[in-house]
Amino acid sequence: MSTIYQLDEVTIGQIAAGEIIERPVSVVKELVENAVDAGAARVTVTVEGGGSQLIEVTDDGHGIAPGDLQFAPRRHATSKLAAASDLESIGTLGFRGEGLASIASVARVEIVSRTKDAANGTRIVAHADAIGVVEPAAAPQGTRVRAEGLFENVPVRREYLRSPSAEFTRISSWLSSFALAYPAVTFTLRHDGKDVWVMPATSDPRERLAMVFGRDAANALIPIDPAGARTLDGTLRGFISAPGSDRADRRMQMLFVNGRLLRSTLLAGAWTAGYSTYAMIGRHPYGVLMLELPPDHVDPNVHPTKSDVRLRYGSQVFDAVRRAIAATLQAHASERFREHVAPAGAGVSLAPPSVDASLPHVESLFSRFAHGEPVHGRADEVPRRRMRVLSQIDCTYILASDGESLLLVDQHAAHERIAYETIVARAGEHAPSEPLLVPLTIELDATQSAALDRALELLHEGGLEIEPFGERSYRVSSTPAGYGARAFDLAGFLDDLTEDPKQRDVRERIWASLACHSVTVAGERLEPEEMTTLVDRLQLCANPMHCPHGRPTMVRLGPVEIARMFKRV
Ligand code: ADP
Ligand code: MG
């Protein structure tokens, strides 16, 4: 038999604080968010000993009125919410009235504050369940909160802390990321008596980007075209990395919803989806997304530290963000293509960014090439300034020239891009397929067959007919029209499918994979006409610069680069 005890206030406070104050950076977050909510223009964060000795946040915001100060450190005391109905439309970062109380239950807290109208400042201390009395104190306008001896009364928590420098690094990276969304506020971070960094208020968002991502990485960022998110009931702003400059993880993806820095699986997913055909599998774009939605579309009250939010119209938001990102990258790719491959005046017209679904049905990519039919758009869109194919190099690259620059095309990557765009264009209308003379029976292991089961329907859309044929056996009865003859690489395709399917949108993955394993490979000898058609068609692609896995399809040596090689400039 066990006895049920009523916990005392101190223990209750520590349990509640446990959810909010996990480590020093959590204290910084609560205090800095309070400062921003108070309309501060300057916020200074002073840290000692990685935050376990001291965290002090000073701001020049509106301050706390003397009569209110005694309530500030109390649990569930807030000025940001008056009634439960206010929860529906939260316009501030805080609202739970738990920040100061939680900090006070695990550290010695002193709050000094003065409002604009008050002649003097006031001060209060709070620790564990003891809240002191409000007394006068000299203070400039604004608020200063000091938290000393963090977790001294919770030794287990102390043990989980890393070294002071590691804890300080978390503080610095959280604060600098947070600052991205508040360029009008000057943030200063001090550690052990030294100014570590200062971010002066600025009207140029790129300055902050450079401080967070580094100068070079920030220069490579492209602004999101807000027009891409027209369908959104709100706005999307931000900067995203261009294809080719990605990272191995998502840590440099800064996501804000209504000014809250958070880990939003939804936003991160939409970013990945919008980026999917530009990135190599397993690589991640970096940058910052700032989503502003009507307050009643966002429920931040799903997580004690508000590190994720629930969106009322999540799938619409997902779609709008994905589209905006894809459109931004699309425009960027076309621009780069114009700069690099078809300089102004060359008269190349690009295919419209949206894929034309009214394409003639495809017999064979190659036979179409031979007939000179465009993969995209209309026949009159063939580039006017033609790239002349000079030679195939190493059975892998195509060397071409327009009389001014040299172009090296990776035949596999280029063909893959063309095939991919064709498949995407046809999807939904069930691509024609070609029956195999002798249906192929394949046997798969458990992982492969699970992956295949998930993909069957999409494969069918793409023109590949595979049906279960006994346990873990499948029969391939037809392949996408025109591909069969080129020995569709089923084994390679299945390997691709089983490789971490969460990395990108399944549909696009399958199509990219289908494209990849149905086209010219490196080391294959091509006829001159085949190469010419490949180069022509590539230029009509919506995104001609990269294959669906994000590898470049071509490099160009322009007159300037050539002159440089011969030391003429
Ligand atoms: P919340 O932010 O959820 O309201 P807190 O415990 O963090 O809860 O703060 C309680 C209250 O104290 C706030 O609602 C606000 O009125 C006041 N307060 C806290 N920090 C500041 C500050 N830096 N400037 C002005 N008022 C503050
Ligand atoms: Mg707060």
Side-chain angles (χ1 to χ4, degrees), residues 365-366 369 411-420 519-520 534:
L365 274 178
F366 258 81
F369 286 170
Q411 65 191 42
H412 172 68
H415 199 174
E416 217 179 323
R417 164 52 60 185
I418 299 167
Y420 174 75
V519 298
T520 322
L534 202 66

Side-chain angles (χ1 to χ4, degrees), residues 131-202:
I131 297 180
V133 290
V134 176
E135 29 185 79
Q141 190 202 318
T143 304
R144 189 191 76 196
V145 181
R146 288 169 71 88
E148 281 177 283
L150 181 65
F151 297 139
E152 264 170 19
N153 57 349
V154 202
V156 256
R157 267 288 151 91
R158 277 233 145 179
E159 275 163 35
Y160 279 101
L161 296 188
R162 308 276 300 279
S163 67
S165 69
E167 294 298 336
F168 179 75
T169 303
R170 286 178 195 248
I171 292 174
S172 176
S173 75
W174 179 83
L175 188 63
S176 57
S177 312
F178 179 80
L180 281 172
Y182 300 92
V185 180
T186 298
F187 289 94
T188 305
L189 180 63
R190 302 172 54 81
H191 192 210
D192 293 339
K194 288 194 258 330
D195 272 4
V196 179
W197 52 252
V198 180
M199 290 196 200
T202 171

Side-chain angles (χ1 to χ4, degrees), residues 34 38 59 62-64 72 77-80 94-100 143:
N34 280 349
D59 68 63
H62 57 55
I64 307 173
T78 177
S79 58
K80 301 167 193 176
F95 61 87
R96 297 167 62 111
E98 288 185 315
L100 291 176
T143 304

Side-chain angles (χ1 to χ4, degrees), residues 21-43:
I21 308 300
E22 220 184 323
R23 44 188 356 119
V25 66
S26 333
V27 175
V28 173
K29 172 178 181 289
E30 293 299 325
L31 298 182
V32 169
E33 291 189 343
N34 280 349
V36 168
D37 278 346
R42 301 180 150 271
V43 177

Side-chain angles (χ1 to χ4, degrees), residues 111-132:
I111 310 169
V112 179
S113 190
R114 183 162 77 84
T115 55
K116 197 163 86 204
D117 312 322
N120 287 304
T122 40
R123 165 182 184 273
I124 194 169
V125 291
H127 187 213
D129 61 344
I131 297 180

